């Protein structure tokens, strides 16, 4: 491989490229390198460019997100109102508000760094090989999980953003039987109660997604020798910048979610909520299907672009000495030492895992016995160096080189500078080369992760195989970004360091300002405005009705059993919406929305629930005044069945419901944390004048300190059951306790 090959890689010039659209990818990387040049100039050092560390920085940010999230969980509560008020309390606390801001900005930065990392991996074609294609797919999966975790995180706050997310769910599920039932039972109807089950489910989803992200990240980086975390100075800079931004620019807290309000203007985090605007349109399902198709396409894109797998290193059993240098240096753990088949042989032999090998050739640079071969591995030996300067550069540098090659130099392209054997310097110089120069990628930017650092260590005598003593220090080393090969050749030895450590504290300070400015842009972006139409009003009808049963608004049962139910909305005497509800068994359950102009309107909402389509059950009729951005919510639900003793006993014993048995016994003499409730249905009638036993029991549940039993103190029973129990559960519990008339009466 003498001169400048027409394509990048370690192939011979006449070997077909293993990639489709290889030149297009080269053009994309060239554009990315050009776009990143100002950042490299600002940092003033190839060693302080943050872009090559985007992947490792994302792992660090993930750790910050998880730790800060676990801290915030300690102060979180569950329920439509409880969750919002818990976040409001955090916002008013000096430490919790800072941690919340760190959590928000680290989450946005995590999405950004993962996207930047994925783009750099893609344009650099670092997806060839079976294991690397799997790494790519797992990375795509991790990015999707990060996005979903961010969505659930915003949902937990239960503010106006959460209300917008609710509207997305209503639009997606409201027209299906199972989906409509879930919405009415858990989110919109009277059965939803305090909503603690919904918020608890979202919290578990958020926690589960975070665990899945951690696992996907582990799968992404396992079985490789690449670093998981960025160098310490990057972690210190990111931590400092996050704290500064969290203090200087606290995150917002919008108003609470309001069922009577339409989606209004709000700051919209484009890193997480970028799909919210299209999902709020009538094409929500199309958007969902398009996103799913894009995710699948992104995951399989490397397979589609790869014509064939990269060449696999071939091991000469006779030459292999079992020294294990190649095993130690292989970035992707593709080599291992195993005993030879000959029982008399004392030496082990290196064996290659063809699924893990990516054809980088780094192991060839480790082997001093010629026991390994790979296409292009003899490029240095084939060159005619007499009277010329020999430049050994990785394929990316050769691909993106600008300018003409001088007559007194020869450029040798290899897949990675880690493929170059340090003892080849002696061969080149002894054959008449005037000088030898090794040009690799800057710290953190090697296509194979560690090829540049291995090369530097070998040339500096820190790692075997070493340069022969006679030629030690002869070769110039330069580690520069692709596209700067010509400059490196013009100024040999000007960039000799492959270590990521900063040049000086002054350089580190300047880079710190770059990191802070970058994070400030991220923080500002999370406040991107979203302005949906706000000059309209609306009517929302929430129905949970079984035809033939009695509605809460009706004096008697209505409809015919088994009939389909249609919602009819009329405004100013004109029908503007007529929609048949989905069925869940014999129940008609669903949500119907209509948009109207603001102002005073005559509204009638009716149900058609008989075979006679002209017969209507009117559930609302009035002349309300509609303000822009507001909606009238009309609920149509059946009278709940009279609660029985058995249902109340279930509430009493349920740990997720009343959990009463934790503190109270129903056995005579079973006093514990709270007094025994045996006979409470009898003696409760004598506790307070004017209150029946049932009224006294209800008061004791909702206002525990209204009457204190002798021997107990105020505040011992929590005042939480107004929110924790639905009206039906409360009635059932009162009925059960009222039935306890024997024992300690």
């Amino acid at each position: 491989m003498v001169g400048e090959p027409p394509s990048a890689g370690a192939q011979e010039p006449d070997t077909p490229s293993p990639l489709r659209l290889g030149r297009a990818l080269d053009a994309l990387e060239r554009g990315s390198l050009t776009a990143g040049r100002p950042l490299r100039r600002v940092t003033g050092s190839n060693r302080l460019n943050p872009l090559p560390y985007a992947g490792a920085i994302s792992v660090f940010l993930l750790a910050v997100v998880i730790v800060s999230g676990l801290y915030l969980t300690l102060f979180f509560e569950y329920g439509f109102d409880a969750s919002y008020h818990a976040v409001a309390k955090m916002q008013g606390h000096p430490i919790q508000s800072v941690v919340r801001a760190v959590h928000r900005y680290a989450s946005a930065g995590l999405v950004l760094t993962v996207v930047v990392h994925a783009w750099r991996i893609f344009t650099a074609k670092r997806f060839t090989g079976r294991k690397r294609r799997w790494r790519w797919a797992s990375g795509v999966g991790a990015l999707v999980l990060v996005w979903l975790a961010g969505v659930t995180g915003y949902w937990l706050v239960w503010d106006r953003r959460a209300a917008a997310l609710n509207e997305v769910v209503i639009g997606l599920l409201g027209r299906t039987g199972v989906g409509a039932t879930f919405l009415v039972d858990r989110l919109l109807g009277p059965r939803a109660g305090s909503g603690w089950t919904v918020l608890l489910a979202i919290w578990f989803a958020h926690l589960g997604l975070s665990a899945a992200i951690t696992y996907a990240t582990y799968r992404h980086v396992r079985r490789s020798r690449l670093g998981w975390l960025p160098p310490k100075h990057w972690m210190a800079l990111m931590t400092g910048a996050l704290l500064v931004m969290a203090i200087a620019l606290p995150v917002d807290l919008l108003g609470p979610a309001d069922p009577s309000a339409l989606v209004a203007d709000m700051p919209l985090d484009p890193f997480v909520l970028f799909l919210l605007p299209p999902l709020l349109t009538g094409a929500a399902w199309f958007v969902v299907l398009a996103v799913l198709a894009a995710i699948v396409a992104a995951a399989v894109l490397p397979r589609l672009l790869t014509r064939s797998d990269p060449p696999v290193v071939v091991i000469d059993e006779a030459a292999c000495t079992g020294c294990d240098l190649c095993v130690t240096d292989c970035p992707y753990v593709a080599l291992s030492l195993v005993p030879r088949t000959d029982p008399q042989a004392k030496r082990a032999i290196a064996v290659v895992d063809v699924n893990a090998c990516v054809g980088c050739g780094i192991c060839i640079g480790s082997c001093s016995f010629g026991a390994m071969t790979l296409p292009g591995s003899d490029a240095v030996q084939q060159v005619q160096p007499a009277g010329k300067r020999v430049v050994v550069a990785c394929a990316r540098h050769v691909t993106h080189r600008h300018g003409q090659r001088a007559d007194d130099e020869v450029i040798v392209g290899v897949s990675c500078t880690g493929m170059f054997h340090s003892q080849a310097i002696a061969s080149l110089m002894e054959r008449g080369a005037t000088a030898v120069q090794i040009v690799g990628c800057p710290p953190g930017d090697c296509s194979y992760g560690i090829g540049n650092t291995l090369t530097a260590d070998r040339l500096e005598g820190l790692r075997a195989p070493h340069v022969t003593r006679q030629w030690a220090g002869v070769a110039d080393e330069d580690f520069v970004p692709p596209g700067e090969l010509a400059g490196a050749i013009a100024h040999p030895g000007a960039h000799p360091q492959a270590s990521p450590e900063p040049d000086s504290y002054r350089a580190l300070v300047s880079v710190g300002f770059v990191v802070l400015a970058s994070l400030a842009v991220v923080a500002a972006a999370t406040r991107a405005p979203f302005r949906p139409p706000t000059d309209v009003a609306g009517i929302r009808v929430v129905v949970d009705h079984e035809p033939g049963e009695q509605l809460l608004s009706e004096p008697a049962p209505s409809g015919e059993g088994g009939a389909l139910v249609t919602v009819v909305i009329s405004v100013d005497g004109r029908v503007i919406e007529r929609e048949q509800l989905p069925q869940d068994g014999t129940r008609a359950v669903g949500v119907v929305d209509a948009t109207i102009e603001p102002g005073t309107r005559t509204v009638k909402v009716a149900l058609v629930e008989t075979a006679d389509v002209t017969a209507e059950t009117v559930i609302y009729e009035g002349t309300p005044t509609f303000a822009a951005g507001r909606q009238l919510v009309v609920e149509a639900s059946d009278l709940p069945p009279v609660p029985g003793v058995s249902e109340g006993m279930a509430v009493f014993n349920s740990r997720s419901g009343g959990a009463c048995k934790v503190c109270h016994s129903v056995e005579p003499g079973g006093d514990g944390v709270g007094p025994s409730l045996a006979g409470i249905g009898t003696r409760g009638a004598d506790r307070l004048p004017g209150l029946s036993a049932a009224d006294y029991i209800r008061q004791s549940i909702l206002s525990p300190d209204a009457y204190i039993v002798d021997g107990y103190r105020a505040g011992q029973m929590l005042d939480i059951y107004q929110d924790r129990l639905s009206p039906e559960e409360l009635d059932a519990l009162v009925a059960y306790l009222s039935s306890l008339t024997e024992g300690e009466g």
Side-chain angles (χ1 to χ4, degrees):
M1 189 177 297
V2 181
E4 298 178 44
S7 63
Q11 301 84 15
E12 296 294 338
D14 59 347
T15 302
S17 171
L19 291 174
R20 299 180 178 94
L21 304 178
R23 292 186 178 180
L25 293 177
D26 290 339
L28 289 177
E29 184 178 31
R30 191 174 297 114
S32 300
L33 292 168
T34 301
R37 191 171 297 160
L39 180 59
R40 296 196 298 272
R41 290 178 178 174
V42 170
T43 58
S45 171
N46 291 325
R47 288 186 279 169
L48 293 178
N49 182 3
L51 294 180
Y53 296 100
I57 290 175
S58 68
V59 176
F60 171 71
L61 290 176
L62 173 61
V64 173
V65 169
I66 291 175
V67 172
S68 59
L70 291 175
Y71 173 80
L72 294 175
T73 297
L74 299 176
F75 311 99
F76 192 71
E77 298 178 20
Y78 306 98
F80 296 148
D81 295 329
S83 295
Y84 181 82
H85 292 312
V87 177
K89 289 180 182 178
M90 295 182 199
Q91 197 69 8
H93 191 278
I95 297 178
Q96 295 169 21
S97 62
V98 170
V99 175
R100 181 169 177 254
V102 167
H103 187 73
R104 171 80 61 83
Y105 297 147
S107 299
L110 173 59
V111 175
L112 179 61
T113 52
V114 171
V115 171
V116 170
H117 174 64
W119 176 257
R120 289 175 58 83
I121 292 293
F122 178 70
T123 58
K125 304 179 286 296
R126 294 170 60 177
F127 50 73
T128 56
R130 299 178 188 177
K131 285 293 179 66
R132 290 213 294 185
R133 286 198 298 271
W134 162 247
R135 287 164 64 87
W136 169 271
S138 65
V140 171
L143 177 58
V144 173
L145 293 174
V146 166
W147 165 59
L148 291 175
V151 172
T152 55
Y154 275 110
W155 216 341
L156 284 171
V157 180
W158 213 253
D159 60 358
R160 295 206 323 260
R161 291 191 189 93
L165 292 171
N166 291 340
E167 293 302 314
V168 171
V169 175
I170 292 169
L172 292 173
L173 303 181
R175 287 176 171 80
T176 64
V178 175
T181 300
F182 167 78
L183 293 173
V184 172
D185 286 351
R186 299 298 181 184
L187 193 63
L188 300 174
R191 295 173 184 264
S194 65
W196 72 271
T197 57
V198 173
L199 269 298
L200 185 62
I202 296 174
W203 180 83
F204 270 115
H206 188 64
L207 187 67
L209 287 167
S210 300
I213 294 166
T214 303
Y215 177 73
T217 303
Y218 164 73
R219 295 286 301 180
H220 183 66
V221 299
R222 68 187 288 268
R223 290 193 60 81
S224 77
R225 305 194 191 283
L226 311 183
W228 289 31
L229 294 172
K232 294 179 180 179
H233 59 273
W234 286 119
M235 292 189 284
L237 290 173
M238 291 301 302
T239 301
L242 284 169
L243 289 174
V244 170
M245 291 308 306
I247 296 172
L249 195 63
V251 296
D252 54 9
L253 178 62
L254 306 182
D258 183 357
S260 64
L262 299 175
V263 177
D265 295 356
M266 68 181 74
L268 191 69
D269 182 348
F271 300 105
V272 176
L273 301 178
F274 60 93
L275 284 179
L276 192 55
L279 285 173
L280 287 171
T281 66
W285 272 112
F286 174 80
V287 174
V288 170
L289 293 176
V291 170
L292 290 175
I295 292 171
V296 173
V300 302
L301 188 58
R303 177 70 274 182
L304 298 177
L305 291 177
T306 304
R307 296 179 185 272
S308 60
D309 290 325
V312 176
V313 66
V314 178
I315 299 174
D316 183 347
E317 294 188 16
C320 180
T321 64
C323 67
D324 92 348
L325 286 177
C326 60
V327 176
T328 302
D329 287 353
C330 180
Y332 298 102
V333 198
L335 291 164
S336 59
L337 288 181
V338 300
R340 294 178 182 265
T341 56
D342 182 1
Q344 301 300 320
K346 296 181 179 180
R347 297 176 301 168
I349 186 173
V351 175
V352 61
D353 180 352
V354 296
N355 292 320
C357 181
V358 299
C360 64
I362 289 177
C363 56
I364 293 175
S366 302
C367 182
S368 299
F369 305 98
M372 296 180 168
T373 57
L374 192 71
S377 61
D378 58 348
V380 175
Q381 286 74 25
Q382 290 184 355
V383 73
Q384 302 299 321
K388 295 184 178 181
R389 177 184 187 85
V390 178
V391 180
V392 180
C394 78
R396 292 173 69 201
H397 283 85
V398 174
T399 298
H400 300 299
R401 180 174 185 258
H402 303 288
Q404 298 296 319
R405 176 175 58 83
D407 293 336
D408 61 345
E409 70 182 34
V410 58
I411 300 176
V412 184
V414 293
S415 60
C416 176
T417 54
M419 177 190 255
F420 177 75
H421 199 287
S422 55
Q423 294 176 0
I425 295 174
S427 173
L428 291 172
M429 297 301 293
E430 290 170 354
R431 287 189 287 149
T434 59
V436 177
Q437 183 181 13
I438 314 299
V439 181
C441 297
D445 201 21
C446 174
S447 291
Y448 302 100
I450 59 175
N452 50 2
T453 57
L454 292 178
T455 300
D457 288 347
R458 292 168 186 166
L459 295 180
E460 294 169 16
L462 302 177
R463 191 183 196 90
H466 305 293
V467 182
T468 56
R469 183 176 303 177
Q470 179 182 357
W471 303 107
V474 168
D476 294 309
E477 303 173 52
D478 286 284
F479 298 95
V480 297
E484 298 184 11
L485 176 60
I489 294 175
H491 304 283
H495 302 89
Q497 294 295 325
S499 168
E501 297 303 318
D503 303 279
S504 64
Y505 286 109
R506 179 179 299 179
L508 196 59
V509 170
S510 65
V511 174
F513 282 108
V514 171
V515 173
L516 184 61
S518 301
L519 194 59
V521 172
V522 170
T526 61
R527 288 166 166 75
F530 172 52
R531 298 186 175 91
T534 56
D535 57 347
V536 296
I539 300 173
R540 166 162 289 170
V541 183
V542 181
V543 179
D544 181 6
H545 173 51
E546 183 174 344
E549 297 294 329
Q550 182 178 348
L551 289 161
L552 284 171
S553 59
E554 296 298 303
S558 62
E560 299 175 351
L564 298 176
V565 177
T566 299
V567 174
V568 181
I569 302 176
S570 301
V571 176
D572 296 336
R574 182 173 61 89
V575 175
I576 64 169
E577 190 70 40
R578 179 185 292 270
E579 183 174 327
Q580 182 175 295
L581 296 175
Q583 295 288 118
D584 182 10
T586 58
R587 294 168 61 195
V589 186
V591 182
V592 178
D593 290 317
T595 301
I596 63 174
E597 294 293 326
T600 301
R601 298 283 183 265
T602 300
V603 177
K604 184 177 75 169
V605 181
L607 303 181
V608 176
E609 49 180 336
T610 65
D612 181 4
V613 296
T614 63
E616 295 181 339
T617 302
V618 178
I619 58 175
Y620 176 85
E621 194 166 17
T623 310
T625 298
F626 291 88
R630 308 295 295 181
Q631 67 179 356
L632 171 68
V633 180
V634 178
E635 293 183 354
S637 58
D638 295 338
L639 283 172
V642 177
V645 172
S646 60
E647 290 86 353
M649 183 184 296
V651 175
F652 184 91
N653 293 322
S654 171
R655 287 188 175 273
S656 61
C660 309
K661 72 174 185 178
V662 174
C663 298
H664 295 279
S665 169
V666 295
E667 299 296 328
D671 294 339
V673 176
S676 170
L677 298 179
I680 190 64
T682 300
R683 68 177 184 276
D686 301 327
R687 287 293 196 198
L688 294 173
L691 291 184
S692 65
D695 291 338
Y696 166 72
I697 292 170
R698 184 181 298 272
Q699 175 182 277
S700 298
I701 295 171
L702 299 180
S703 301
D705 291 341
Y707 179 86
I708 307 300
V709 176
D710 291 342
Y712 295 89
R713 56 181 175 80
Q716 196 161 343
M717 179 174 171
L718 299 178
D719 184 9
I720 61 174
Y721 292 97
Q722 180 73 49
D723 293 329
R724 187 164 187 173
L725 299 178
S726 68
E728 294 82 2
E729 291 173 330
L730 180 60
D731 290 342
L733 180 59
V734 171
Y736 168 63
L737 295 177
S738 298
S739 72
L740 302 178
T741 57
E742 298 180 359
E744 295 185 357

